[in-house]
Structure formats: C-alpha cells, structure tokens
Amino acid sequence: MEQAIIVLVVMGFLMIAAEVFVPGLVLGVLGGMCLLASVVLCYVAFGPLVGTAAFVGLGVLTFSGFLIWLKVFPYTPIGRRLMLQKVQKAEDPTRGGELVGAEGTAITPLRPAGTAKIGGRRVDVVAENGFIDADTAVVVVAQDGMSVVVRPAPTASTPEKPD
C-alpha cells in the first residue's frame, strides 16, 4: 500500500509538471486526481491522523513547489525559450489626446464606428453624430484613451440621404 501511495504522488506531480508543455488540461487533471487518490489511500491505510497529515503535506508541497517553479523556471533553458524576454513598447497613435483637431479621411463607412486614416495611420474611430460615408474628410473632435471621435470636416460635403 505504501508503494502505491508513493507512486501516485510521484505520478501526480510529474503529470502536473508535464501540463506546462502539453496543452489541454488533461494531464493536470489526471495529476490532481492521482494526488487526491494518494490522500484517500493514506486515510484508508493509516487512519485520519496520517491521512490529514498527508493532505496538509501535499498541499504545502504543491504550493511551495509552485512558488519555486515561478522563481526558477523562467531562467532555465526551456523557460527562456517559452517566455518572452524583451519588453516591447507599442506605438499607439491614439495615446494622450494628441489627435484632437487632426484631419483625415474615412477609409470605411462610419456607421457609427469604422476606420479612418489620420496622420498617415489607420485609426479606429467613432462618428460623433449619425453616419459618415467612406472617403469623406473627417476631423477628430475628442479622444479618450483608445476612443477617437470624429465628425465630417467643415469643408467636406456630406451627401444627403433620402429617408
């Protein structure tokens, strides 16, 4: 019985560790079930005191192993291959309200959301009122984070739509 408990604990931890490399959560669930089965066998074979001690011990071992893995794994050869090493700064043309007052052209029909070319870049925009046809000149009237609000430019003529 003792060998079965040890085998279940070892297999459980190996399956949980393999879950990092094999997607699908199957090995992780099977590993957890092996650990749970080992605790149940401890309760059956040795009584409630040893079973509870095995349960608490496996919990502490699992938690501490996870913390150690978080600290050590990124610096292993496999961890360096799997994890992003460089931080890349994204160029966001819509940050800081710098587009307010800029003019551009609607690339797609804005009904009310769409895409416009502003300052040589494609920007997701929302029409302030109603719809704006494609290839219409637009001006940015507001910006809040990634939300850019446009209206037709004063020189742009918007064709009237029949009701």
Side-chain angles (χ1 to χ4, degrees):
M1 185 73 82
E2 293 88 14
Q3 289 97 1
I5 294 170
I6 293 171
V7 167
L8 283 172
V9 169
V10 170
M11 289 302 296
F13 281 124
L14 287 176
M15 286 184 191
I16 290 172
E19 180 66 34
V20 172
F21 306 105
V22 181
L25 201 65
V26 174
L27 289 178
V29 170
L30 288 175
M33 290 172 65
C34 284
L35 293 177
L36 185 63
S38 69
V39 170
V40 169
L41 284 179
C42 280
Y43 272 107
V44 170
F46 302 110
L49 184 63
V50 174
T52 303
F55 177 72
V56 170
L58 279 178
V60 168
L61 187 63
T62 303
F63 184 71
S64 60
F66 178 70
L67 291 178
I68 291 170
W69 177 80
L70 283 177
K71 284 290 197 185
V72 173
F73 183 72
Y75 303 105
T76 64
I78 295 172
R80 283 192 299 268
R81 285 186 173 167
L82 290 177
M83 301 182 122
L84 183 63
Q85 297 296 317
K86 295 179 184 176
V87 176
Q88 297 177 345
K89 293 186 178 182
E91 272 190 46
D92 183 10
T94 62
R95 68 178 187 276
E98 58 203 32
L99 293 179
V100 175
E103 293 190 10
T105 306
I107 297 173
T108 63
L110 307 181
R111 307 208 181 276
T115 305
K117 190 167 193 172
I118 301 171
R121 296 184 183 190
R122 293 174 61 102
V123 179
D124 292 328
V125 297
V126 177
E128 182 180 43
N129 292 333
F131 299 146
I132 300 174
D133 291 327
D135 298 322
T136 302
V138 294
V139 62
V140 177
V141 294
Q143 179 180 2
D144 184 24
M146 294 295 291
S147 177
V148 179
V149 181
V150 297
R151 72 168 61 132
T155 58
S157 62
T158 55
E160 292 187 23
K161 302 231 186 244
D163 289 330

